[in-house]
Amino acid sequence: MRLNHITLMVSDFERSKAFYLALGLEQIVDSPPRYARFMLPEGDATLSVEVPPIAPPPAVGMATLYFECDQLDETVEALKSSGIVFATNPEDMSYLWREARLFDPDGHELCLYRAGENRLNPPWRIAPRA
């Protein structure tokens, strides 16, 4: 099983499209006024935004989207230069990742990070089951 796609429910189609294009995603589907799909700059994962046909109930929980960047600091600086606002600057975390956080126009949290080998093999990884 592989995760390959996420759809975010958004309130403003054009505003969300503009945000994810500015973030560096490549748009591959455009079905205004409700749906757009994007490819990530690396790999084969996709992300879409959709304006629901009826207003969704208030969110019970939110998810955080994680985008791995080999050149995290440079990527964050380039995005800041293009007008993207970050909630936090790149910072080394206790769990051995370096990350910066921001929010899309609808409040979805995004984390741009670099984890290297520690993403799948942190020092505290549990042993595989026999």
Side-chain angles (χ1 to χ4, degrees), residues 4-6 13 16-22 24-29 35-41 44-49:
N4 68 5
H5 182 78
I6 294 174
F13 179 73
S16 293
K17 266 186 13 180
F19 177 83
Y20 285 100
L21 287 169
L25 280 65
E26 177 185 346
Q27 189 172 358
I28 59 173
V29 175
Y35 183 83
R37 189 168 188 182
F38 305 88
M39 285 178 41
L40 281 289
D44 62 358
T46 58
L47 171 77
S48 62
V49 295

Side-chain angles (χ1 to χ4, degrees), residues 81-100:
S81 294
S82 71
I84 299 290
V85 177
F86 279 77
T88 66
N89 288 315
E91 178 181 353
D92 292 327
M93 309 307 287
S94 63
Y95 39 89
L96 306 179
W97 292 20
R98 184 167 178 78
E99 60 185 43

